[in-house]
Amino acid sequence: MDKFVIRGGNPLLGTIRVSGAKNAALPAMAAALLTEEPVILENIPQVQDIETTRKLLAAMGAEVELGYGRAHHRTTICCRHLASPQASYELVKTMRASTLVLGPLIARCGKARVSLPGGCAIGARPIDLHINGLEKLGATITQEHGYIEASAERLRGAEIVFDKITVTGTEDLLMAATLAEGETIMQNCAREPEVADLADLLNKMGAQIEGAGSSTIRVRGVTSLHGAKHRIIPDRIEAGTFIIAGALTGGDVNIVGCEPGHLDAIVGKLTEMGVKIAHNGDAVRVAGYGDLTASDMVTEEYPGFPTDMQAQYMVLATQAEGSSIVTENIFENRFMHALEMVRMGANIKIEGRRAIVRGKTTLSAAAVLASDLRASASLVIAALVADGETIIDRVYHIDRGYEHIEEKLRAVGAQIRRIGEMLPKRVAAPLVRA
Ligand code: EPZ
């Protein structure tokens, strides 16, 4: 397993370009299942979850071209011939977002066999809301041997009210509803920008969706969808991660290619703590000078402060004067990173869904373990600030959702390098696939 070796103390100075949003690209790739025609997606991030989704679609019989070059990060997906509408445990266990194929497969093929995703480091993460909604649309769903078996003659529009706000649940049902007979009204939907971006793509494919990005979405079903070309929105969580890294290293970083309008809660909370942030078109500039003041933070569904920024925020709170209470409202076990930060010298007490962070504390280098995607990012930030050389193990977690993070950070002055396992260097397969 690859590790990162990071020597702290260097201010980040320069420009970092944000990649396309992983959590917009994944549902967009699944949406290609809804049509026989090619779907072209641009600004696709070069991260492991995209490769996993490519494998998932190819295993069903889809033709997936995936190319990363200076000019474009693009995938062309053609699902004309779907030989086997199923998602195997081997792939689903590595990426729970694979359940995003469930709705499209039922809508397009009238059947689906998708592995239940199983557990996750940050929480139980059931998919009952996906299943309940698909049954309301007329699907027959059974579960056996760890798989969901679903079938439907043709889905029928329905009224769906989500008991809890679910991002991929909203996206799964949105995709299914586009080909259902009649109208579907979904209430208590997720309002994340990634949901609105998916609806933009689906409408380009001929769907009739109104209200995406708000809590009520109305879909008028159509008999078929056609191909389309779409550019994936920038990754707001990657942007927020680099804002905190720039602030904490006492640097001056220009983060370009982002969508500042998606960052309001993040920028608002960080500014409240004393981080100097300025917007300029599609760029956000952060300067890391001046003292930071502790501030409580509660994670909420969009447009609130995102749970995917909670771990990164916690590092910031260790460097602020005073006590910050961090409340994690979305997932029941998303403080694993805190225990690693304590080993680096942070003063953090966990009480159920709350973490009390007392700052300012000096962080010192240590050997630490990444447990999930965003925890890994927070440990990278902590290592950039810590005295000495930190070793972060299991960085495959970070490779799932951050494109070339060590190159991006090195380009602005960070001392970070990746060390592979002591096996012959793997010859990376070309990422452009026929
Ligand atoms: C999406 O996960 C994101 N993943 C997550 O990002 C993100 O943390 C999460 O939304 C919350 O914003 C993708 O978009 C691929 P949820 P998702 O369904 O859709 C409960 C990252 O780091 N719930 O909105 O799986 C669930 O347990 C990842 O990029 C049910 O109870 O999250 C949680 O407590 C991590 N039943 C809450 O709802 C269900 O059927 C919100 O989960 C579905 C969800």
Side-chain angles (χ1 to χ4, degrees):
M1 289 182 206
D2 287 3
K3 297 179 171 61
F4 278 159
V5 179
I6 300 172
R7 175 166 292 282
N10 288 23
L12 300 187
L13 298 166
T15 298
I16 297 181
R17 176 163 291 278
V18 170
S19 300
K22 161 183 87 81
N23 290 349
L26 298 180
M29 291 177 79
L33 290 164
L34 292 164
T35 176
E36 292 187 352
E37 298 182 11
V39 172
I40 300 170
L41 301 172
E42 299 198 317
N43 201 31
I44 293 285
Q46 186 173 4
V47 297
Q48 187 55 44
D49 278 5
I50 298 298
E51 174 56 14
T52 303
T53 306
R54 184 199 65 75
K55 286 180 188 164
L56 195 64
L57 296 174
M60 296 178 197
E63 291 166 32
V64 187
E65 286 176 20
L66 188 53
Y68 298 102
R70 189 163 299 287
H72 62 255
H73 279 37
R74 173 190 292 183
T75 181
T76 303
I77 303 170
C78 185
C79 301
R80 186 181 308 279
H81 307 295
L82 288 178
S84 58
Q86 66 170 3
S88 71
Y89 177 60
E90 285 63 36
L91 284 172
V92 175
K93 73 181 178 184
T94 66
M95 187 186 70
R96 38 182 326 100
S98 307
T99 47
L100 280 166
V101 303
L102 190 54
L105 285 177
I106 301 173
R108 167 79 189 283
C109 308
K111 61 181 179 179
R113 183 172 187 269
V114 175
S115 167
L116 283 160
C120 169
I122 62 177
R125 301 186 74 183
I127 58 167
D128 56 311
L129 301 175
H130 298 234
I131 291 169
N132 297 346
L134 289 166
E135 287 176 333
K136 286 207 175 83
L137 291 174
T140 303
I141 295 182
T142 56
Q143 297 181 28
E144 53 183 359
H145 308 305
Y147 277 78
I148 293 164
E149 303 278 355
S151 63
E153 277 302 305
R154 184 176 180 201
L155 295 176
R156 291 182 311 281
E159 299 240 344
I160 296 168
V161 182
F162 288 102
D163 294 343
K164 281 180 82 166
I165 293 174
T166 162
V167 174
T168 52
T170 299
E171 292 165 346
D172 214 351
L173 294 179
L174 178 60
M175 289 188 278
T178 58
L179 293 179
E181 188 170 1
E183 185 174 62
T184 297
I185 298 175
M186 304 194 306
Q187 297 185 63
N188 200 27
C189 297
R191 295 185 278 169
E192 272 68 4
E194 293 76 25
V195 174
D197 197 45
L198 174 63
D200 285 351
L201 166 61
L202 292 167
N203 281 338
K204 287 176 186 172
M205 293 168 66
Q208 297 187 16
I209 301 167
E210 291 171 2
S214 77
S215 56
T216 300
I217 301 177
R218 186 185 295 268
V219 186
R220 270 188 292 280
V222 294
T223 51
S224 67
L225 295 179
H226 51 72
K229 187 174 178 183
H230 179 71
R231 183 174 177 79
I232 298 296
I233 55 171
D235 193 318
R236 59 195 169 93
I237 304 301
E238 185 192 19
T241 303
F242 288 132
I243 289 173
I244 291 181
L248 278 184
T249 56
D252 184 346
V253 183
N254 211 19
I255 297 156
V256 300
C258 56
E259 173 50 69
H262 295 162
L263 300 171
D264 290 349
I266 297 169
V267 170
K269 177 52 72 176
L270 269 50
T271 304
E272 195 180 294
M273 292 179 84
V275 179
K276 310 288 183 294
I277 303 174
H279 285 177
N280 175 16
D282 74 346
V284 169
R285 183 167 178 185
V286 56
Y289 56 83
D291 295 334
L292 296 174
T293 310
S295 177
D296 295 347
M297 184 276 280
V298 180
T299 64
E300 292 170 325
E301 296 88 356
Y302 193 89
F305 194 94
T307 176
D308 291 349
M309 281 294 300
Q310 180 257 100
Q312 301 90 311
Y313 180 86
M314 194 174 278
V315 188
L316 195 66
T318 68
Q319 301 307 300
E321 289 299 335
S323 289
S324 304
I325 299 175
V326 176
T327 305
E328 173 53 62
N329 272 337
I330 308 296
F331 292 110
E332 65 269 26
N333 185 38
R334 201 170 198 175
F335 287 140
M336 307 265 274
H337 44 278
L339 307 177
E340 296 301 304
M341 290 175 199
V342 166
R343 296 185 59 248
M344 296 176 76
N347 180 340
I348 305 171
K349 296 274 180 305
I350 308 291
E351 293 171 1
R353 292 270 187 145
R354 298 185 340 153
I356 296 96
V357 185
R358 288 185 179 81
K360 175 172 182 175
T361 52
T362 301
L363 297 180
S364 61
V368 291
L369 205 54
S371 54
D372 65 81
L373 171 55
R374 306 305 172 180
S376 319
S378 72
L379 295 176
V380 168
I381 297 171
L384 292 172
V385 175
D387 295 333
E389 195 164 77
T390 295
I391 296 180
I392 304 176
D393 200 353
R394 300 188 185 174
V395 292
Y396 64 84
H397 287 293
I398 208 162
D399 291 336
R400 292 189 49 188
Y402 285 88
E403 176 176 318
H404 303 326
I405 189 166
E406 68 264 43
E407 284 92 340
K408 289 187 178 183
L409 287 171
R410 247 200 316 270
V412 289
Q415 290 190 67
I416 176 173
R417 61 190 168 85
R418 179 187 291 256
I419 49 176
E421 47 199 4
M422 309 316 279
L423 297 175
K425 188 87 186 106
R426 294 191 307 277
V427 177
L431 275 166
V432 179
R433 299 194 184 286

